[in-house]
Amino acid sequence: MATQKRPRIDPLTMEVVELIGTVVARYHDEYEDAAAEHALTGAQARLLSLLSLEPLPMRRLAQQLKCEPSNVTGIVDRLEARGLVERRPDPADRRVKLAAATTEGRGVARGLREALNFAREPLAELSDEERLTLRDLLRRMLGTDDTEG
């Protein structure tokens, strides 16, 4: 009978897990504050940030936001009413509608990114070598470890 490998639970591992949790919580809080400055909810801001990179179908937005497609429809409706998002046919399949950030929406998304100083400021204190090491360790933890620099 094969034995299942259990993750290590030691004081150092627990401290690292707690520190990662603190970083995530601070980032989330700052993101919510930045969203509120633009009169957006956190979900609206995340969706707008995704769409500022490329137009996406609703189903894919739902997958990336880890929510139901009906929730995405409501978020897109509200952003569309504000002129930040538009729906357009998918050139590859006209039956599919893509949500896309408008010029104004891309500007708001850029403002959101620029308002997030929490991670940027502490990272500036690290050397290039330290930031590369941190990046590589995080990629390895996430299983996206690639050798591209």
Side-chain angles (χ1 to χ4, degrees), residues 47-48 51 76 79-87 99-102 105:
L47 187 142
L48 187 58
L51 294 179
V76 169
L79 292 173
E80 190 174 35
R82 289 187 52 189
L84 302 176
V85 168
E86 63 185 10
R87 288 177 170 92
T102 62

Side-chain angles (χ1 to χ4, degrees), residues 2-46:
T3 58
Q4 188 175 12
K5 184 178 177 185
R6 296 187 60 141
R8 287 188 305 200
I9 299 179
D10 56 70
L12 178 57
T13 299
M14 292 307 300
E15 181 181 6
V16 170
V17 168
E18 288 173 14
L19 288 168
I20 290 170
T22 300
V23 168
V24 169
R26 285 187 186 174
Y27 180 84
H28 179 74
D29 288 346
E30 186 167 309
Y31 199 86
E32 293 289 325
D33 291 344
E37 287 178 26
H38 294 277
L40 298 170
T41 65
Q44 290 171 334
R46 284 187 293 281

Side-chain angles (χ1 to χ4, degrees), residues 17 35 61 68 131:
V17 168
L61 280 168
E68 293 297 318
R131 284 182 290 144

Side-chain angles (χ1 to χ4, degrees), residues 66-123:
K66 296 180 181 14
C67 67
E68 293 297 318
S70 60
N71 291 346
V72 169
T73 299
I75 296 168
V76 169
D77 287 346
R78 287 185 285 286
L79 292 173
E80 190 174 35
R82 289 187 52 189
L84 302 176
V85 168
E86 63 185 10
R87 288 177 170 92
R88 57 173 82 142
D90 184 341
D93 183 350
R94 296 186 65 77
R95 296 170 296 173
V96 175
K97 290 285 188 201
L98 298 177
T102 62
T103 301
E104 184 180 353
R106 285 190 298 278
V108 170
R110 189 172 33 260
L112 283 165
R113 280 190 301 276
E114 290 169 359
L116 297 174
N117 294 317
F118 165 69
R120 192 176 313 129
E121 290 173 4
L123 286 174

